[in-house]
Amino acid sequence: MHVTARAEYALRALLALAAAEPSALTAHTLAGTHGLPLTFLQSILGDLRRADLVYNQRLPRPGYRLARAAEDLTVGEVLRLVSGTRAGERAEPPEGEPSALVGALRQVWRAADTAQLAVIDSVTLADLRDGRLPERVRALLT
C-alpha cells in the first residue's frame, strides 16, 4: 500500500487533535509540534474541514477540533478521503481474458487488497491515540 505524504500528514493532524480533545489546536501548533509543513497542513485541514472531519473553532479558543468522535473515524475513511481513491485497492487490470496463471495472480492481488482494507477499516483514531490496536490487527504483527 502506498500512503502519500498528504495522507500521512492528515492522519498525524487528526491523531494530534484526537489526543488534544477537548481542546482545540491551531494549524501553527500542529505544524510546529508535529513537524508538518504549515502551508501544506493548512491545505489538508481545509480538505478535512470540507469533509466534515474537523471544524475550525473561533471562540473562545481558536483552533481545530475533530467534528466526530475519534472512535468513529477509521484510518481507511481518512485515506479514502485524502487520496480521493479507494485506498488499499489496486487499479482495474487491463482488459482482455487473462490466462489461468494471470487469473491466479489477480486472485492473490484481490486477497491482498481485501486484507489491507480489513486492517485500515478496523483501526480507528481512538485505537491509535490510545495505543490499542484491534486484536486481529495485533495478530498480524507476530
Side-chain angles (χ1 to χ4, degrees):
M1 169 186 289
H2 175 75
V3 178
T4 64
R6 185 174 196 81
E8 172 80 18
Y9 291 166
L11 283 164
R12 283 190 200 179
L14 289 169
L15 281 172
L17 294 175
E21 288 180 328
S23 298
L25 297 176
T26 66
H28 289 280
T29 300
L30 283 168
T33 306
H34 300 283
L36 306 174
L38 179 61
T39 304
F40 195 32
L41 177 62
Q42 288 171 324
S43 172
I44 292 167
L45 288 168
D47 290 345
L48 296 175
R49 186 181 47 75
R50 284 184 289 282
D52 294 324
L53 296 186
V54 300
Y55 67 92
N56 194 359
Q57 174 179 305
R58 301 286 181 198
L59 297 173
R61 300 190 70 163
Y64 289 90
R65 295 185 62 195
L66 292 179
R68 296 183 1 218
E71 292 81 2
D72 296 333
L73 287 170
T74 68
V75 171
E77 181 179 1
V78 175
L79 289 176
R80 283 182 195 89
L81 172 94
V82 173
S83 68
T85 62
R86 294 166 48 178
E89 295 187 42
R90 293 187 189 338
E92 289 297 318
E95 293 294 323
E97 189 62 33
S99 68
L101 293 174
V102 173
L105 181 59
R106 285 185 183 171
Q107 288 179 334
V108 169
W109 297 146
R110 284 184 51 211
D113 290 344
T114 300
Q116 283 181 337
L117 291 171
V119 169
I120 65 174
D121 288 336
S122 67
V123 178
T124 68
L125 291 181
D127 293 332
L128 295 173
R129 176 195 64 204
D130 301 340
R132 64 173 202 295
L133 293 176
E135 179 58 40
R136 71 181 193 181
V137 174
R138 282 197 322 267
L140 295 172
L141 298 173
T142 59

mmCIF file of all heavy atoms in Angstrom, residues 92-135:
data_model
loop_
_atom_site.group_PDB
_atom_site.id
_atom_site.type_symbol
_atom_site.label_atom_id
_atom_site.label_comp_id
_atom_site.label_asym_id
_atom_site.label_seq_id
_atom_site.Cartn_x
_atom_site.Cartn_y
_atom_site.Cartn_z
ATOM 1 N N GLU A 92 -8.025 -1.219 -11.742
ATOM 2 C CA GLU A 92 -8.562 -2.341 -12.507
ATOM 3 C C GLU A 92 -7.500 -2.859 -13.465
ATOM 4 O O GLU A 92 -6.764 -2.087 -14.079
ATOM 5 C CB GLU A 92 -9.802 -1.903 -13.289
ATOM 6 C CG GLU A 92 -11.003 -1.643 -12.401
ATOM 7 C CD GLU A 92 -11.462 -2.882 -11.668
ATOM 8 O OE1 GLU A 92 -11.504 -3.981 -12.266
ATOM 9 O OE2 GLU A 92 -11.762 -2.762 -10.459
ATOM 10 N N PRO A 93 -7.416 -4.191 -13.610
ATOM 11 C CA PRO A 93 -6.423 -4.759 -14.534
ATOM 12 C C PRO A 93 -6.799 -4.450 -15.988
ATOM 13 O O PRO A 93 -7.946 -4.108 -16.272
ATOM 14 C CB PRO A 93 -6.491 -6.251 -14.249
ATOM 15 C CG PRO A 93 -7.817 -6.472 -13.614
ATOM 16 C CD PRO A 93 -8.187 -5.203 -12.929
ATOM 17 N N PRO A 94 -5.841 -4.586 -16.889
ATOM 18 C CA PRO A 94 -6.115 -4.331 -18.303
ATOM 19 C C PRO A 94 -7.231 -5.240 -18.815
ATOM 20 O O PRO A 94 -7.434 -6.338 -18.297
ATOM 21 C CB PRO A 94 -4.790 -4.643 -19.000
ATOM 22 C CG PRO A 94 -3.768 -4.699 -17.927
ATOM 23 C CD PRO A 94 -4.477 -4.988 -16.652
ATOM 24 N N GLU A 95 -7.919 -4.766 -19.849
ATOM 25 C CA GLU A 95 -8.994 -5.555 -20.459
ATOM 26 C C GLU A 95 -8.418 -6.791 -21.131
ATOM 27 O O GLU A 95 -7.245 -6.860 -21.450
ATOM 28 C CB GLU A 95 -9.744 -4.705 -21.490
ATOM 29 C CG GLU A 95 -10.515 -3.545 -20.899
ATOM 30 C CD GLU A 95 -11.668 -3.998 -20.009
ATOM 31 O OE1 GLU A 95 -12.317 -5.010 -20.323
ATOM 32 O OE2 GLU A 95 -11.901 -3.337 -18.989
ATOM 33 N N GLY A 96 -9.276 -7.734 -21.380
ATOM 34 C CA GLY A 96 -8.861 -8.953 -22.067
ATOM 35 C C GLY A 96 -8.955 -10.142 -21.133
ATOM 36 O O GLY A 96 -8.964 -9.998 -19.914
ATOM 37 N N GLU A 97 -9.061 -11.281 -21.721
ATOM 38 C CA GLU A 97 -9.195 -12.517 -20.947
ATOM 39 C C GLU A 97 -7.808 -12.942 -20.447
ATOM 40 O O GLU A 97 -6.899 -13.183 -21.243
ATOM 41 C CB GLU A 97 -9.801 -13.618 -21.837
ATOM 42 C CG GLU A 97 -10.191 -14.860 -21.095
ATOM 43 C CD GLU A 97 -11.260 -14.615 -20.041
ATOM 44 O OE1 GLU A 97 -12.122 -13.738 -20.228
ATOM 45 O OE2 GLU A 97 -11.206 -15.303 -19.011
ATOM 46 N N PRO A 98 -7.625 -13.031 -19.142
ATOM 47 C CA PRO A 98 -6.306 -13.427 -18.638
ATOM 48 C C PRO A 98 -6.093 -14.937 -18.773
ATOM 49 O O PRO A 98 -7.044 -15.711 -18.778
ATOM 50 C CB PRO A 98 -6.368 -13.037 -17.166
ATOM 51 C CG PRO A 98 -7.823 -13.134 -16.826
ATOM 52 C CD PRO A 98 -8.564 -12.748 -18.074
ATOM 53 N N SER A 99 -4.839 -15.301 -18.879
ATOM 54 C CA SER A 99 -4.523 -16.731 -18.869
ATOM 55 C C SER A 99 -4.793 -17.258 -17.470
ATOM 56 O O SER A 99 -5.028 -16.489 -16.532
ATOM 57 C CB SER A 99 -3.054 -16.938 -19.236
ATOM 58 O OG SER A 99 -2.230 -16.421 -18.190
ATOM 59 N N ALA A 100 -4.767 -18.555 -17.297
ATOM 60 C CA ALA A 100 -5.012 -19.158 -15.982
ATOM 61 C C ALA A 100 -3.989 -18.662 -14.963
ATOM 62 O O ALA A 100 -4.328 -18.400 -13.808
ATOM 63 C CB ALA A 100 -4.970 -20.677 -16.085
ATOM 64 N N LEU A 101 -2.748 -18.505 -15.392
ATOM 65 C CA LEU A 101 -1.712 -18.045 -14.475
ATOM 66 C C LEU A 101 -1.947 -16.606 -14.042
ATOM 67 O O LEU A 101 -1.833 -16.268 -12.871
ATOM 68 C CB LEU A 101 -0.329 -18.175 -15.112
ATOM 69 C CG LEU A 101 0.161 -19.593 -15.375
ATOM 70 C CD1 LEU A 101 1.472 -19.565 -16.138
ATOM 71 C CD2 LEU A 101 0.292 -20.361 -14.082
ATOM 72 N N VAL A 102 -2.285 -15.750 -14.987
ATOM 73 C CA VAL A 102 -2.553 -14.351 -14.666
ATOM 74 C C VAL A 102 -3.815 -14.250 -13.816
ATOM 75 O O VAL A 102 -3.898 -13.441 -12.898
ATOM 76 C CB VAL A 102 -2.652 -13.497 -15.953
ATOM 77 C CG1 VAL A 102 -3.107 -12.086 -15.635
ATOM 78 C CG2 VAL A 102 -1.314 -13.478 -16.670
ATOM 79 N N GLY A 103 -4.803 -15.086 -14.106
ATOM 80 C CA GLY A 103 -6.028 -15.105 -13.296
ATOM 81 C C GLY A 103 -5.722 -15.439 -11.850
ATOM 82 O O GLY A 103 -6.281 -14.842 -10.923
ATOM 83 N N ALA A 104 -4.813 -16.393 -11.629
ATOM 84 C CA ALA A 104 -4.423 -16.758 -10.263
ATOM 85 C C ALA A 104 -3.705 -15.598 -9.585
ATOM 86 O O ALA A 104 -3.919 -15.327 -8.397
ATOM 87 C CB ALA A 104 -3.535 -18.003 -10.283
ATOM 88 N N LEU A 105 -2.866 -14.893 -10.341
ATOM 89 C CA LEU A 105 -2.161 -13.741 -9.786
ATOM 90 C C LEU A 105 -3.155 -12.652 -9.389
ATOM 91 O O LEU A 105 -3.042 -12.053 -8.322
ATOM 92 C CB LEU A 105 -1.157 -13.197 -10.807
ATOM 93 C CG LEU A 105 -0.326 -12.002 -10.369
ATOM 94 C CD1 LEU A 105 0.501 -12.330 -9.121
ATOM 95 C CD2 LEU A 105 0.575 -11.561 -11.505
ATOM 96 N N ARG A 106 -4.156 -12.418 -10.212
ATOM 97 C CA ARG A 106 -5.181 -11.432 -9.874
ATOM 98 C C ARG A 106 -5.913 -11.807 -8.583
ATOM 99 O O ARG A 106 -6.280 -10.936 -7.797
ATOM 100 C CB ARG A 106 -6.188 -11.287 -11.014
ATOM 101 C CG ARG A 106 -5.645 -10.512 -12.182
ATOM 102 C CD ARG A 106 -6.698 -10.301 -13.229
ATOM 103 N NE ARG A 106 -6.143 -9.616 -14.379
ATOM 104 C CZ ARG A 106 -6.792 -9.451 -15.505
ATOM 105 N NH1 ARG A 106 -8.025 -9.906 -15.646
ATOM 106 N NH2 ARG A 106 -6.225 -8.820 -16.506
ATOM 107 N N GLN A 107 -6.120 -13.092 -8.377
ATOM 108 C CA GLN A 107 -6.767 -13.532 -7.135
ATOM 109 C C GLN A 107 -5.894 -13.209 -5.924
ATOM 110 O O GLN A 107 -6.397 -12.821 -4.872
ATOM 111 C CB GLN A 107 -7.081 -15.022 -7.192
ATOM 112 C CG GLN A 107 -8.213 -15.348 -8.134
ATOM 113 C CD GLN A 107 -8.495 -16.828 -8.200
ATOM 114 O OE1 GLN A 107 -7.622 -17.661 -7.950
ATOM 115 N NE2 GLN A 107 -9.731 -17.168 -8.539
ATOM 116 N N VAL A 108 -4.590 -13.356 -6.071
ATOM 117 C CA VAL A 108 -3.679 -13.008 -4.985
ATOM 118 C C VAL A 108 -3.783 -11.514 -4.687
ATOM 119 O O VAL A 108 -3.862 -11.104 -3.529
ATOM 120 C CB VAL A 108 -2.219 -13.396 -5.322
ATOM 121 C CG1 VAL A 108 -1.237 -12.803 -4.323
ATOM 122 C CG2 VAL A 108 -2.085 -14.904 -5.377
ATOM 123 N N TRP A 109 -3.792 -10.677 -5.729
ATOM 124 C CA TRP A 109 -3.896 -9.230 -5.523
ATOM 125 C C TRP A 109 -5.221 -8.872 -4.861
ATOM 126 O O TRP A 109 -5.265 -8.027 -3.974
ATOM 127 C CB TRP A 109 -3.764 -8.455 -6.830
ATOM 128 C CG TRP A 109 -2.440 -8.587 -7.538
ATOM 129 C CD1 TRP A 109 -2.242 -8.586 -8.874
ATOM 130 C CD2 TRP A 109 -1.132 -8.726 -6.960
ATOM 131 N NE1 TRP A 109 -0.907 -8.727 -9.171
ATOM 132 C CE2 TRP A 109 -0.203 -8.819 -8.007
ATOM 133 C CE3 TRP A 109 -0.649 -8.810 -5.658
ATOM 134 C CZ2 TRP A 109 1.164 -8.959 -7.806
ATOM 135 C CZ3 TRP A 109 0.713 -8.960 -5.436
ATOM 136 C CH2 TRP A 109 1.600 -9.028 -6.500
ATOM 137 N N ARG A 110 -6.298 -9.498 -5.264
ATOM 138 C CA ARG A 110 -7.604 -9.226 -4.644
ATOM 139 C C ARG A 110 -7.592 -9.620 -3.175
ATOM 140 O O ARG A 110 -8.142 -8.914 -2.329
ATOM 141 C CB ARG A 110 -8.718 -9.963 -5.397
ATOM 142 C CG ARG A 110 -9.060 -9.280 -6.706
ATOM 143 C CD ARG A 110 -10.227 -9.907 -7.435
ATOM 144 N NE ARG A 110 -11.374 -10.053 -6.570
ATOM 145 C CZ ARG A 110 -12.264 -11.039 -6.697
ATOM 146 N NH1 ARG A 110 -12.131 -11.953 -7.629
ATOM 147 N NH2 ARG A 110 -13.298 -11.097 -5.888
ATOM 148 N N ALA A 111 -6.986 -10.759 -2.850
ATOM 149 C CA ALA A 111 -6.909 -11.192 -1.452
ATOM 150 C C ALA A 111 -6.073 -10.210 -0.638
ATOM 151 O O ALA A 111 -6.434 -9.868 0.499
ATOM 152 C CB ALA A 111 -6.316 -12.602 -1.363
ATOM 153 N N ALA A 112 -4.958 -9.737 -1.214
ATOM 154 C CA ALA A 112 -4.111 -8.764 -0.513
ATOM 155 C C ALA A 112 -4.872 -7.454 -0.301
ATOM 156 O O ALA A 112 -4.805 -6.861 0.779
ATOM 157 C CB ALA A 112 -2.821 -8.522 -1.306
ATOM 158 N N ASP A 113 -5.609 -7.002 -1.319
ATOM 159 C CA ASP A 113 -6.421 -5.786 -1.179
ATOM 160 C C ASP A 113 -7.440 -5.952 -0.060
ATOM 161 O O ASP A 113 -7.633 -5.050 0.758
ATOM 162 C CB ASP A 113 -7.159 -5.471 -2.487
ATOM 163 C CG ASP A 113 -6.231 -5.009 -3.600
ATOM 164 O OD1 ASP A 113 -5.075 -4.631 -3.307
ATOM 165 O OD2 ASP A 113 -6.676 -5.026 -4.766
ATOM 166 N N THR A 114 -8.092 -7.098 -0.027
ATOM 167 C CA THR A 114 -9.102 -7.364 0.995
ATOM 168 C C THR A 114 -8.483 -7.334 2.389
ATOM 169 O O THR A 114 -9.058 -6.767 3.323
ATOM 170 C CB THR A 114 -9.792 -8.720 0.732
ATOM 171 O OG1 THR A 114 -10.405 -8.668 -0.555
ATOM 172 C CG2 THR A 114 -10.830 -9.032 1.790
ATOM 173 N N ALA A 115 -7.297 -7.915 2.528
ATOM 174 C CA ALA A 115 -6.613 -7.926 3.832
ATOM 175 C C ALA A 115 -6.240 -6.505 4.256
ATOM 176 O O ALA A 115 -6.418 -6.132 5.414
ATOM 177 C CB ALA A 115 -5.374 -8.814 3.772
ATOM 178 N N GLN A 116 -5.726 -5.703 3.324
ATOM 179 C CA GLN A 116 -5.376 -4.312 3.644
ATOM 180 C C GLN A 116 -6.605 -3.531 4.080
ATOM 181 O O GLN A 116 -6.564 -2.795 5.066
ATOM 182 C CB GLN A 116 -4.767 -3.614 2.431
ATOM 183 C CG GLN A 116 -3.345 -3.969 2.160
ATOM 184 C CD GLN A 116 -2.804 -3.211 0.958
ATOM 185 O OE1 GLN A 116 -3.554 -2.752 0.098
ATOM 186 N NE2 GLN A 116 -1.495 -3.096 0.895
ATOM 187 N N LEU A 117 -7.684 -3.674 3.335
ATOM 188 C CA LEU A 117 -8.910 -2.960 3.683
ATOM 189 C C LEU A 117 -9.433 -3.391 5.048
ATOM 190 O O LEU A 117 -9.931 -2.573 5.818
ATOM 191 C CB LEU A 117 -9.975 -3.166 2.604
ATOM 192 C CG LEU A 117 -9.669 -2.488 1.274
ATOM 193 C CD1 LEU A 117 -10.663 -2.940 0.209
ATOM 194 C CD2 LEU A 117 -9.675 -0.983 1.412
ATOM 195 N N ALA A 118 -9.321 -4.673 5.354
ATOM 196 C CA ALA A 118 -9.785 -5.163 6.657
ATOM 197 C C ALA A 118 -9.005 -4.490 7.786
ATOM 198 O O ALA A 118 -9.569 -4.166 8.836
ATOM 199 C CB ALA A 118 -9.641 -6.679 6.745
ATOM 200 N N VAL A 119 -7.730 -4.246 7.576
ATOM 201 C CA VAL A 119 -6.912 -3.592 8.600
ATOM 202 C C VAL A 119 -7.269 -2.112 8.711
ATOM 203 O O VAL A 119 -7.619 -1.629 9.788
ATOM 204 C CB VAL A 119 -5.399 -3.765 8.315
ATOM 205 C CG1 VAL A 119 -4.568 -2.874 9.220
ATOM 206 C CG2 VAL A 119 -4.999 -5.227 8.484
ATOM 207 N N ILE A 120 -7.191 -1.378 7.606
ATOM 208 C CA ILE A 120 -7.379 0.068 7.699
ATOM 209 C C ILE A 120 -8.813 0.453 8.054
ATOM 210 O O ILE A 120 -9.045 1.517 8.610
ATOM 211 C CB ILE A 120 -6.901 0.824 6.438
ATOM 212 C CG1 ILE A 120 -7.724 0.466 5.206
ATOM 213 C CG2 ILE A 120 -5.418 0.597 6.210
ATOM 214 C CD1 ILE A 120 -7.397 1.285 3.966
ATOM 215 N N ASP A 121 -9.766 -0.417 7.748
ATOM 216 C CA ASP A 121 -11.160 -0.113 8.078
ATOM 217 C C ASP A 121 -11.539 -0.539 9.496
ATOM 218 O O ASP A 121 -12.622 -0.214 9.961
ATOM 219 C CB ASP A 121 -12.117 -0.752 7.067
ATOM 220 C CG ASP A 121 -12.080 -0.049 5.719
ATOM 221 O OD1 ASP A 121 -11.702 1.137 5.677
ATOM 222 O OD2 ASP A 121 -12.427 -0.688 4.711
ATOM 223 N N SER A 122 -10.655 -1.252 10.162
ATOM 224 C CA SER A 122 -10.971 -1.678 11.535
ATOM 225 C C SER A 122 -10.213 -0.878 12.590
ATOM 226 O O SER A 122 -10.500 -1.000 13.776
ATOM 227 C CB SER A 122 -10.677 -3.169 11.709
ATOM 228 O OG SER A 122 -9.289 -3.425 11.617
ATOM 229 N N VAL A 123 -9.261 -0.055 12.181
ATOM 230 C CA VAL A 123 -8.479 0.741 13.124
ATOM 231 C C VAL A 123 -9.024 2.168 13.148
ATOM 232 O O VAL A 123 -9.102 2.825 12.111
ATOM 233 C CB VAL A 123 -6.978 0.753 12.748
ATOM 234 C CG1 VAL A 123 -6.191 1.633 13.706
ATOM 235 C CG2 VAL A 123 -6.420 -0.668 12.742
ATOM 236 N N THR A 124 -9.413 2.632 14.339
ATOM 237 C CA THR A 124 -9.939 3.989 14.485
ATOM 238 C C THR A 124 -8.857 4.932 15.010
ATOM 239 O O THR A 124 -7.807 4.478 15.508
ATOM 240 C CB THR A 124 -11.130 4.021 15.463
ATOM 241 O OG1 THR A 124 -10.650 3.723 16.779
ATOM 242 C CG2 THR A 124 -12.230 3.048 15.053
ATOM 243 N N LEU A 125 -9.138 6.219 14.922
ATOM 244 C CA LEU A 125 -8.211 7.196 15.505
ATOM 245 C C LEU A 125 -8.092 6.978 17.010
ATOM 246 O O LEU A 125 -7.010 7.146 17.581
ATOM 247 C CB LEU A 125 -8.691 8.615 15.225
ATOM 248 C CG LEU A 125 -8.617 9.089 13.781
ATOM 249 C CD1 LEU A 125 -9.105 10.526 13.674
ATOM 250 C CD2 LEU A 125 -7.218 8.969 13.232
ATOM 251 N N ALA A 126 -9.186 6.594 17.651
ATOM 252 C CA ALA A 126 -9.139 6.332 19.092
ATOM 253 C C ALA A 126 -8.217 5.148 19.395
ATOM 254 O O ALA A 126 -7.475 5.179 20.384
ATOM 255 C CB ALA A 126 -10.540 6.063 19.636
ATOM 256 N N ASP A 127 -8.246 4.111 18.551
ATOM 257 C CA ASP A 127 -7.343 2.972 18.745
ATOM 258 C C ASP A 127 -5.892 3.432 18.710
ATOM 259 O O ASP A 127 -5.075 3.057 19.562
ATOM 260 C CB ASP A 127 -7.547 1.915 17.651
ATOM 261 C CG ASP A 127 -8.895 1.226 17.710
ATOM 262 O OD1 ASP A 127 -9.478 1.130 18.804
ATOM 263 O OD2 ASP A 127 -9.365 0.776 16.641
ATOM 264 N N LEU A 128 -5.560 4.250 17.715
ATOM 265 C CA LEU A 128 -4.185 4.742 17.582
ATOM 266 C C LEU A 128 -3.814 5.675 18.724
ATOM 267 O O LEU A 128 -2.726 5.567 19.296
ATOM 268 C CB LEU A 128 -4.017 5.451 16.238
ATOM 269 C CG LEU A 128 -4.171 4.568 15.001
ATOM 270 C CD1 LEU A 128 -4.162 5.410 13.740
ATOM 271 C CD2 LEU A 128 -3.086 3.506 14.962
ATOM 272 N N ARG A 129 -4.723 6.594 19.038
ATOM 273 C CA ARG A 129 -4.477 7.551 20.128
ATOM 274 C C ARG A 129 -4.212 6.829 21.439
ATOM 275 O O ARG A 129 -3.312 7.186 22.195
ATOM 276 C CB ARG A 129 -5.690 8.471 20.279
ATOM 277 C CG ARG A 129 -5.598 9.436 21.447
ATOM 278 C CD ARG A 129 -6.927 10.055 21.794
ATOM 279 N NE ARG A 129 -7.856 9.025 22.240
ATOM 280 C CZ ARG A 129 -9.172 9.139 22.172
ATOM 281 N NH1 ARG A 129 -9.742 10.213 21.676
ATOM 282 N NH2 ARG A 129 -9.933 8.157 22.608
ATOM 283 N N ASP A 130 -4.986 5.764 21.690
ATOM 284 C CA ASP A 130 -4.891 5.039 22.953
ATOM 285 C C ASP A 130 -3.879 3.897 22.923
ATOM 286 O O ASP A 130 -3.694 3.206 23.925
ATOM 287 C CB ASP A 130 -6.266 4.494 23.341
ATOM 288 C CG ASP A 130 -7.309 5.599 23.499
ATOM 289 O OD1 ASP A 130 -6.915 6.782 23.680
ATOM 290 O OD2 ASP A 130 -8.510 5.288 23.414
ATOM 291 N N GLY A 131 -3.225 3.693 21.776
ATOM 292 C CA GLY A 131 -2.211 2.650 21.666
ATOM 293 C C GLY A 131 -2.773 1.250 21.791
ATOM 294 O O GLY A 131 -2.103 0.355 22.281
ATOM 295 N N ARG A 132 -4.007 1.046 21.320
ATOM 296 C CA ARG A 132 -4.615 -0.280 21.422
ATOM 297 C C ARG A 132 -5.195 -0.688 20.071
ATOM 298 O O ARG A 132 -6.298 -0.321 19.713
ATOM 299 C CB ARG A 132 -5.700 -0.301 22.486
ATOM 300 C CG ARG A 132 -6.881 0.583 22.198
ATOM 301 C CD ARG A 132 -7.994 0.379 23.235
ATOM 302 N NE ARG A 132 -9.290 0.768 22.781
ATOM 303 C CZ ARG A 132 -9.699 1.983 22.458
ATOM 304 N NH1 ARG A 132 -8.857 2.979 22.524
ATOM 305 N NH2 ARG A 132 -10.925 2.226 22.070
ATOM 306 N N LEU A 133 -4.415 -1.426 19.322
ATOM 307 C CA LEU A 133 -4.888 -1.923 18.035
ATOM 308 C C LEU A 133 -5.873 -3.063 18.258
ATOM 309 O O LEU A 133 -5.746 -3.815 19.224
ATOM 310 C CB LEU A 133 -3.711 -2.420 17.202
ATOM 311 C CG LEU A 133 -2.713 -1.360 16.744
ATOM 312 C CD1 LEU A 133 -1.548 -2.003 16.024
ATOM 313 C CD2 LEU A 133 -3.385 -0.326 15.867
ATOM 314 N N PRO A 134 -6.840 -3.222 17.352
ATOM 315 C CA PRO A 134 -7.755 -4.357 17.466
ATOM 316 C C PRO A 134 -6.976 -5.678 17.466
ATOM 317 O O PRO A 134 -5.915 -5.778 16.836
ATOM 318 C CB PRO A 134 -8.633 -4.238 16.215
ATOM 319 C CG PRO A 134 -8.552 -2.797 15.830
ATOM 320 C CD PRO A 134 -7.176 -2.351 16.234
ATOM 321 N N GLU A 135 -7.501 -6.671 18.137
ATOM 322 C CA GLU A 135 -6.823 -7.960 18.286
ATOM 323 C C GLU A 135 -6.422 -8.555 16.934
ATOM 324 O O GLU A 135 -5.312 -9.046 16.778
ATOM 325 C CB GLU A 135 -7.719 -8.945 19.052
ATOM 326 C CG GLU A 135 -7.105 -10.323 19.220
ATOM 327 C CD GLU A 135 -5.772 -10.315 19.944
ATOM 328 O OE1 GLU A 135 -5.622 -9.561 20.913
ATOM 329 O OE2 GLU A 135 -4.863 -11.077 19.550
#
